[in-house]
Amino acid sequence: MRTKERGFLRSLARDVRGNTLAMMAMFLIPLSGLVGSAVDMSRLYVVKARLQQACDAGALAGRKFMVDPGPTLDSNAVAQAQAFFGNNFKKDVPANGTLGFMNTSAVTFTPTRTSDNQVAGTASASVPMTITKMFGTNAITLNVSCQARFDVADTDIMFVLDTTGSMACLPSDDDATCNSYAGSAAKVAYTRPSGSGVPGYAGTIGVGTTEKSGSRIAALRAAVLNFYDTFAANADPSTKVRYGFVTYTSSVNVGQAILDKSASYLVGGSGSETRTYQSRQVYADYVISTTTTNTNNGRTSGNCNRSVRTPATAKTYNSSNGQATRDYDSWNSGTGRCESKTQVLGPQWEYKPVAIDVNPLVSGNTIVDPTKVRGQTTQWLGCVETPVDNPGATSFSINSLPSELNPDLFPTGAQRWWPHMQDFTYTRTSTPDYTNLDDTRYRPNYGVDSNPSPVTSGYPNTYMRDLGRISCGKPAKRLGVMTRAEISAYVNAADFVPMGGTYHDTGMIWGTRLIAPNGPWGADTAAWPNRLTPNRVIIFLTDGDMAPTNTNYSMYGVEAYDQRVSNAGNSSSATLVSLHNARFLAMCSAAKARNIDVWTVSIDTAANAQLTACATTSAQALASADGTGLSTAFASIAKRLAMLRLTR
């Protein structure tokens, strides 16, 4: 038996059938522990990631709604932070046995205000174990922290606004209808308000084109205020915003902005200096009438030579009527008598370039107008003329802009600006002689020496004025904090009126100058203390295409004679448009190169090619042919600009 037993045991020892099952049973427990650990670790990872996201969302929401300047987070910010946390991580409710996200419990989130006015937070959640619970592993509490910075995008906004005569038309008027109306509509006098501009501006008489009811400029006023309201409603309460305005026609009124920085930027700002204007001087007397007062004064032929002029000084006239008299003797050979005669004299003008000392004007003084004879006085209204480095230039390098286009220019010497003086400026004749810059054509009266009405007072030529060939509009407003009431006062002021011709480049040149960070006005757009660099934005609005002419008196003088843009008299309209568009687009590029965000808005069915190219992106070239659409366009820009930068 023993031998048989030993044989059975040996046989059993050699038999390996069924060993796998035994081994699996032996390894099942440690394998279960490994798998359970992986599952529970994955659950912990998912819960912690979601907990971190919820903490971040809550902190950001708390910062978004934080308004109370106190040392602790205000109740509304806390409530919003908790709500956003709860939306991203479901909390447990012990009272009714509801568990949180992935069966978590004891979920907490605590937002707090930091010393630098941001929002921090801590969150925790207890995560129950599943498989590893069988091995005695208890629930694990996860803790995360978060600090979300809500870096508000402070914003500087420069409105560059077309206030030319066509802005008196309806938004829906086509070009032909509007051009006809702007040229023929009655002109309305207004008193220029105080509180802005150079000393010669306030209290003088200006003229604007009669606005149609529901005009484009009325829609513009509403759109600017709608922009302000929309931006204020969408921006963070702590956003710092500055506004500036440049209204433009063929000229721009920036004189006070220049004087605010340095009178030395102007010719005549540091002493006596002259600039040449396309003007006129008295050449000689002309005889208006001759009257015989005595047919026999008793003088002999030898002493019949009396001649007395009143006033005695040649080429001067009585201020009351702009005339002089000459009492003289004339021998009548037919009667053999000496007759007494009286001539009424008037000025005979020579139209030509005239050098005039501009220092008194830059200094804010009132001077006797040298182009008139009745003692009329004049002051500088604030618009400027500019030199041009390279007349006739058709293209420009952004890296080497001429002085007149350089937003960073601190002008000296020949680069300086000088007063734009509409009282001094005249075209020579109805058809200028482009070949003779010293055109001496004489006229006894150019339509300005009769007694002026309130509308025509102060203007050299009502014909040029009424066609918009001469204008000097509302003074520019430098960047600064403005309330809604202040913006409303600006766009609804008596001098915010339509008048003048359309030169987009003049507006863009000065709009860019006044917001450029490295130019003379760079301090206006500097970062607020302890804050990030502001977003810089130009909003450019126009209702028409570029429309320069040879005979406009613009920021570039009178092109027919000064030839600063074309370098050639009698340039075609198409040539002038092309040259001015090149300057306009160069300024748009200069603005964008300085990280200035450019938006263009046109009162038309679509933005033209130049306005589309000017905008930072084609999507930022907006258009509307009705007043409501204009407000909508401005509101859409405001919403975009009010978006705040978020960082973690």
Side-chain angles (χ1 to χ4, degrees):
M1 287 294 296
R2 290 180 180 174
T3 301
K4 289 181 179 180
E5 290 173 358
R6 285 196 296 270
F8 171 75
L9 291 174
R10 283 198 222 52
S11 176
L12 183 61
R14 288 194 298 267
D15 190 351
V16 297
R17 289 175 299 177
N19 285 1
T20 301
L21 182 61
M23 293 173 66
M24 283 296 297
M26 292 173 60
F27 289 116
L28 184 59
I29 294 175
L31 284 172
S32 297
L34 289 173
V35 172
S37 295
V39 171
D40 285 339
M41 287 298 293
S42 296
R43 291 179 70 251
L44 288 170
Y45 176 82
V46 171
V47 171
K48 186 167 186 178
R50 178 64 69 86
L51 191 66
Q52 184 68 63
Q53 292 171 356
C55 186
D56 292 342
L60 286 170
R63 178 61 186 85
K64 165 69 176 176
F65 291 95
M66 183 177 70
V67 294
D68 192 334
T72 60
L73 197 60
D74 56 271
S75 59
N76 181 57
V78 170
Q80 293 293 337
Q82 292 288 1
F84 272 74
F85 177 87
N87 289 337
N88 285 273
F89 196 99
K90 179 185 176 183
K91 290 185 177 182
D92 59 311
V93 184
N96 57 22
T98 302
L99 294 175
F101 175 71
M102 295 192 75
N103 294 328
T104 54
S105 60
V107 178
T108 65
F109 171 63
T110 305
T112 58
R113 186 184 187 119
T114 66
S115 60
D116 61 346
N117 297 323
Q118 303 300 329
V119 173
T122 57
S124 65
S126 178
V127 185
M129 298 296 98
T130 54
I131 298 175
T132 57
K133 183 177 181 180
M134 296 184 299
F135 300 96
T137 303
N138 296 323
I140 294 177
T141 299
L142 297 177
N143 297 286
V144 297
S145 62
C146 52
Q147 178 171 338
R149 298 190 61 84
F150 205 101
D151 291 324
V152 177
D154 294 338
T155 305
D156 290 341
I157 300 164
M158 181 63 67
F159 286 106
V160 179
L161 305 176
D162 179 342
T163 55
T164 57
S166 58
M167 290 293 287
C169 301
L170 296 176
S172 57
D173 285 345
D174 60 29
D175 289 346
T177 300
C178 186
N179 291 339
S180 175
Y181 177 79
S184 62
K187 302 303 181 285
V188 181
Y190 63 88
T191 301
R192 295 185 175 97
S194 60
S196 64
V198 299
Y201 185 81
T204 58
I205 302 298
V207 177
T209 304
T210 301
E211 297 178 32
K212 289 185 176 182
S213 178
S215 67
R216 297 171 180 179
I217 201 165
L220 171 58
R221 296 181 186 111
V224 169
L225 290 172
N226 194 37
F227 178 98
Y228 182 93
D229 293 338
T230 304
F231 193 96
N234 286 274
D236 183 79
S238 62
T239 301
K240 305 287 188 183
V241 186
R242 291 176 290 219
Y243 290 94
F245 289 87
V246 170
T247 65
Y248 76 91
T249 59
S250 58
S251 58
V252 178
N253 195 328
V254 291
Q256 189 57 54
I258 295 171
L259 291 175
D260 288 345
K261 290 301 176 181
S262 177
S264 68
Y265 297 161
L266 293 162
V267 176
S270 302
S272 178
E273 286 185 272
T274 62
R275 288 306 301 176
T276 297
Y277 293 88
Q278 302 303 329
S279 191
R280 69 179 185 176
Q281 291 178 326
V282 176
Y283 174 76
D285 292 333
Y286 85 98
V287 178
I288 298 174
S289 64
T290 302
T291 304
T292 300
T293 59
N294 191 334
T295 59
N296 184 8
N297 58 28
R299 295 186 178 91
T300 65
S301 61
N303 63 3
C304 187
N305 53 14
R306 182 178 59 93
S307 179
V308 178
R309 188 184 188 279
T310 306
T313 303
K315 302 179 185 178
T316 64
Y317 304 86
N318 292 315
S319 61
S320 60
N321 58 11
Q323 297 175 348
T325 59
R326 176 174 171 253
D327 296 313
Y328 69 100
D329 291 340
S330 175
W331 183 258
N332 188 329
S333 59
T335 62
R337 296 174 179 177
C338 183
E339 298 177 346
S340 298
K341 296 180 180 291
T342 298
Q343 290 179 334
V344 177
L345 307 175
Q348 186 178 45
W349 296 102
E350 180 182 18
Y351 291 84
K352 60 185 292 184
V354 178
I356 297 173
D357 188 354
V358 294
N359 171 256
L361 298 165
V362 172
S363 301
N365 296 326
T366 300
I367 68 169
V368 175
D369 187 340
T371 70
K372 311 211 175 33
V373 296
R374 288 186 289 118
Q376 296 100 318
T377 59
T378 188
Q379 283 184 285
W380 178 36
L381 296 178
C383 288
V384 297
E385 290 193 48
T386 185
V388 174
D389 290 354
N390 299 300
T394 58
S395 62
F396 305 92
S397 169
I398 297 304
N399 297 320
S400 182
L401 289 169
S403 65
E404 73 271 16
L405 299 181
N406 182 1
D408 304 328
L409 176 73
F410 290 77
T412 59
Q415 299 172 333
R416 294 171 297 163
W417 309 293
W418 63 91
H420 174 283
M421 293 299 297
Q422 56 189 29
D423 286 353
F424 295 168
T425 301
Y426 301 81
T427 54
R428 315 276 203 265
T429 67
S430 298
T431 305
D433 180 354
Y434 298 104
T435 64
N436 186 356
L437 298 186
D438 292 323
D439 181 17
T440 53
R441 300 192 179 205
Y442 307 112
R443 293 188 183 185
N445 191 325
Y446 204 65
V448 295
D449 289 328
S450 58
N451 290 327
S453 68
V455 171
T456 60
S457 177
Y459 282 85
N461 186 322
T462 58
Y463 175 76
M464 290 182 68
R465 179 208 69 193
D466 290 352
L467 289 181
R469 293 182 180 176
I470 294 178
S471 63
C472 182
K474 186 172 182 60
K477 168 70 175 65
R478 291 169 54 195
L479 283 169
V481 176
M482 296 181 73
T483 65
R484 188 185 194 278
E486 289 170 331
I487 288 179
S488 178
Y490 187 90
V491 299
N492 287 293
D495 55 348
F496 195 89
V497 297
M499 190 67 192
T502 307
Y503 285 55
H504 298 329
D505 47 333
T506 65
M508 197 65 189
I509 286 169
W510 280 99
T512 303
R513 283 192 194 282
L514 295 184
I515 199 172
N518 298 316
W521 293 271
D524 291 356
T525 187
W528 294 77
N530 302 314
R531 295 175 74 89
L532 299 176
T533 298
N535 290 336
R536 299 184 177 101
V537 182
I538 288 176
I539 300 174
F540 184 96
L541 176 133
T542 181
D543 72 332
D545 296 329
M546 189 84 74
T549 74
N550 280 298
T551 53
N552 280 359
Y553 176 38
S554 74
M555 187 174 76
Y556 301 101
V558 180
E559 185 61 25
Y561 304 108
D562 293 305
Q563 301 181 7
R564 293 184 209 150
V565 175
S566 66
N567 200 30
N570 198 21
S571 296
S572 69
S573 295
T575 297
L576 287 177
V577 167
S578 177
L579 291 169
H580 282 274
N581 274 335
R583 292 178 174 276
F584 171 62
L585 293 176
M587 286 313 303
C588 295
S589 296
K592 290 179 283 191
R594 287 157 178 78
N595 294 319
I596 300 169
D597 195 26
V598 179
W599 294 74
T600 62
V601 182
S602 53
I603 302 177
D604 206 341
T605 54
N608 63 31
Q610 286 72 37
L611 294 177
T612 300
C614 180
T616 300
T617 68
S618 59
Q620 291 177 213
L622 309 180
S624 174
D626 64 78
T628 301
L630 191 62
S631 282
T632 300
F634 271 55
S636 68
I637 298 172
K639 287 180 181 178
R640 282 279 303 273
L641 298 181
M643 294 174 64
L644 303 169
R645 296 193 294 257
L646 308 180
T647 59
R648 221 190 83 191

